[in-house]
């Protein structure tokens, strides 16, 4: 009886162990599949870049670095907002990789909000990728801002592009996913931003905290601005691609050197959607999207400041 019990115990635990090991292997497999590399470009490995990259990438406790706020100039992250021209920037990043000695990595799509555990996993896998590739990398994924510093890792250089919130709402309608907010306003009832907050600009810059997803929150707006000032040398505006590209080339030169030439030579502009919205609807929307508009205007002014001395470089 006693013997029988022992055998059962051993069997039980070995079975459990197998399951745990299996889960572990599965998880690791997932991690390996995390990266979809879309660009297949041949690189000239300029040795100085490589050395530079290696130096930069052998990190590190932030305490060792001594400077918590320093962002890594050779590690770019585009956490694009849907329907705002992110795909356009990705295309540019893919085309410029060969020219500027870096590689663009498209991260697997996933949720915008991650648990602490998953944020840590993502950061670890990104850092593993950086170490393995040993050249500067740019990444993109549509995800709310992640504070790398919080995980004791040097922050990437973040970049992003946003657009006028009303144009964005209209483009959603245009692409067939009708906005509940617009429907509500058209019915002349009292409306609020509701769940559509998840798609707007501020959460992408404010970050992972639940307070970032409260409509018209002053706290979320301030946090978003703070993160932009600290981690985003450039946030572009779809309505002003010229200034966006000038600012990117000036302030994020390693990745965007030559972007204006490329844009002029090879790419045509993004077609604008013709807004068919009466002024009263627009005014109601501007009230409902008050902090979103404040943020948009703030980014616009920042971009203007950054490019006012650039002159007509085209
Ligand atoms: C990021 O994390 C660091 C370290 O935990 C913290 O000091 C800093 O306030 C955080 N920044 C934001 C914007 O949350
Ligand atoms: C942007 O630059 C292009 C190319 O020179 C020019 O044709 C266009 O008018 C500019 N657009 C704006 C809004 O300045």
């Amino acid at each position: 009886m006693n013997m029988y019990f022992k055998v059962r115990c051993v069997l039980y635990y070995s079975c459990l162990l197998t399951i745990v090991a299996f889960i572990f292997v599965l998880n690791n497999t997932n991690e390996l599949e995390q990266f979809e590399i879309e660009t297949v470009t041949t690189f000239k490995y300029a040795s100085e870049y490589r050395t530079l990259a290696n130096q930069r990438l052998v990190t590190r406790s932030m305490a060792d670095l001594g400077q918590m706020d320093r962002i890594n100039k050779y590690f770019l992250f585009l956490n694009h907002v849907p329907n705002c021209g992110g795909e356009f920037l990705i295309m540019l990043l893919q085309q410029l990789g060969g020219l500027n000695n870096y590689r663009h990595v498209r991260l697997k799509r996933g949720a915008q909000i991650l648990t602490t555990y998953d944020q840590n996993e993502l950061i670890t896998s990104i850092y593993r990728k950086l170490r393995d590739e040993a050249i500067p990398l740019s990444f993109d994924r549509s995800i709310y801002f992640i504070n790398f510093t919080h995980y004791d890792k040097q922050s990437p250089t973040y970049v992003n592009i946003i657009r006028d919130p009303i144009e964005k709402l209209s483009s959603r309608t245009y692409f067939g996913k009708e906005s509940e907010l617009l429907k509500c306003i058209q019915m002349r009832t009292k409306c609020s931003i509701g769940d559509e907050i998840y798609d707007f600009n501020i959460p992408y810059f404010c970050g992972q905290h639940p307070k970032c997803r409260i409509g018209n929150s002053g706290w979320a707006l301030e946090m978003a601005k703070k993160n932009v000032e600290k981690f985003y040398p450039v946030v572009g505006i779809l309505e002003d691609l010229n200034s966006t590209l000038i600012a990117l080339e000036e302030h994020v030169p390693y990745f965007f050197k030559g972007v204006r030439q490329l844009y002029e030579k090879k790419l045509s502009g993004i077609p604008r959607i013709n807004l068919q919205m009466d002024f009263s609807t627009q005014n109601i929307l501007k009230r409902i999207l008050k902090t979103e508009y404040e943020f948009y205007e703030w980014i616009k002014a920042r971009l203007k400041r950054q490019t006012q001395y650039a002159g007509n470089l085209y």
Side-chain angles (χ1 to χ4, degrees):
M1 186 67 189
N2 204 11
M3 184 63 192
Y4 172 72
F5 182 71
K6 270 187 194 161
V7 168
R8 259 183 63 162
C9 254
V10 167
L11 274 178
Y12 175 76
Y13 279 110
S14 51
C15 186
L16 199 68
L17 254 171
T18 314
I19 290 170
V20 168
F22 186 65
I23 288 171
F24 181 77
V25 167
L26 261 187
N27 269 343
N28 277 354
T29 318
N30 276 343
E31 225 168 71
L32 289 176
E33 285 166 0
Q34 185 119 37
F35 298 96
E36 293 168 22
I37 298 165
E38 302 245 307
T39 40
V40 186
T41 325
T42 45
F43 290 98
K44 281 188 193 139
Y45 290 113
S47 59
E48 72 259 33
Y49 286 132
R50 198 169 212 178
T51 318
L52 204 58
N54 280 336
Q55 275 168 5
R56 298 278 164 173
L57 302 175
V58 184
T59 315
R60 42 287 217 168
S61 153
M62 291 304 297
D64 293 344
L65 269 167
Q67 276 169 298
M68 297 292 279
D69 291 339
R70 275 281 291 279
I71 58 176
N72 190 331
K73 276 197 278 183
Y74 303 96
F75 165 23
L76 194 84
F77 200 107
L78 165 63
N79 66 321
H80 44 97
V81 187
N83 285 346
C84 285
E87 293 299 325
F88 172 68
L89 277 196
I90 292 164
M91 187 177 73
L92 293 178
L93 279 169
Q94 288 173 331
Q95 298 207 14
L96 287 165
L99 216 67
N100 293 341
N101 276 294
Y102 68 89
R103 193 204 297 271
H104 184 72
V105 178
R106 300 216 63 180
L107 292 169
K108 205 169 140 190
R109 274 183 210 215
Q112 265 76 0
I113 307 163
L114 297 182
T115 61
T116 306
Y117 179 83
D118 287 339
Q119 287 178 54
N120 208 352
E121 287 287 292
L122 180 66
I123 291 173
T124 306
S125 57
I126 285 176
Y127 262 81
R128 191 180 308 132
K129 187 80 181 162
L130 281 165
R131 191 195 57 216
D132 292 349
E133 296 274 330
I135 59 164
L137 298 179
S138 63
F139 295 85
D140 81 82
R141 173 169 163 177
S142 183
I143 191 169
Y144 297 153
F145 172 81
I146 290 179
N147 184 358
F148 278 63
T149 319
H150 188 66
Y151 297 90
D152 207 29
K153 288 278 189 268
Q154 195 180 16
S155 178
T157 300
Y158 272 98
V159 290
N160 215 333
I161 184 164
I162 62 171
R163 83 193 288 188
D164 184 307
I166 291 182
E167 290 231 6
K168 185 178 153 69
L169 262 184
S170 309
S171 84
R172 277 167 64 103
T173 317
Y174 186 82
F175 289 117
K177 187 174 154 192
E178 213 175 332
S179 159
E180 290 299 319
L181 182 53
L182 275 184
K183 264 197 283 186
C184 171
I185 291 171
Q186 272 143 24
M187 278 156 49
R188 306 270 168 234
T189 48
K190 203 164 179 296
C191 309
S192 70
I193 191 167
D195 277 350
E196 281 175 61
I197 181 75
Y198 292 101
D199 253 7
F200 278 103
N201 296 323
I202 289 177
Y204 282 85
F205 297 88
C206 174
Q208 298 282 330
H209 198 287
K211 275 160 78 183
C212 290
R213 302 185 286 279
I214 295 172
N216 279 335
S217 149
W219 184 89
L221 173 64
E222 287 314 311
M223 187 56 88
K225 287 182 179 176
K226 227 164 89 180
N227 284 335
V228 167
E229 277 173 341
K230 226 167 166 177
F231 300 106
Y232 291 78
V234 176
V235 176
I237 285 201
L238 189 60
E239 287 77 27
D240 189 358
L241 277 180
N242 282 355
S243 301
T244 300
L245 299 189
I246 291 170
L248 283 171
E249 188 155 2
E250 295 236 317
H251 296 276
V252 195
Y254 186 87
F255 291 91
F256 288 98
K257 210 166 28 213
V259 70
R260 280 170 291 169
Q261 247 183 324
L262 182 74
Y263 182 62
E264 197 164 63
K265 273 192 197 148
K266 296 192 186 161
L267 310 161
S268 55
I270 291 177
R272 292 284 296 276
I273 293 158
N274 238 342
L275 264 186
Q276 302 283 332
M277 193 186 289
D278 58 81
F279 279 114
S280 90
T281 306
Q282 286 194 35
N283 284 336
I284 295 168
L285 270 175
K286 282 191 175 169
R287 217 164 43 236
I288 295 170
L289 302 171
K290 187 164 170 290
T291 53
E292 281 292 332
Y293 261 97
E294 268 180 62
F295 184 67
Y296 176 72
E297 293 298 334
W298 184 79
I299 292 288
K300 217 160 107 178
R302 181 178 187 249
L303 190 64
K304 200 166 178 179
R305 261 197 324 276
Q306 284 179 324
T307 53
Q308 65 185 337
Y309 301 115
N312 189 4
L313 290 166
Y314 279 101

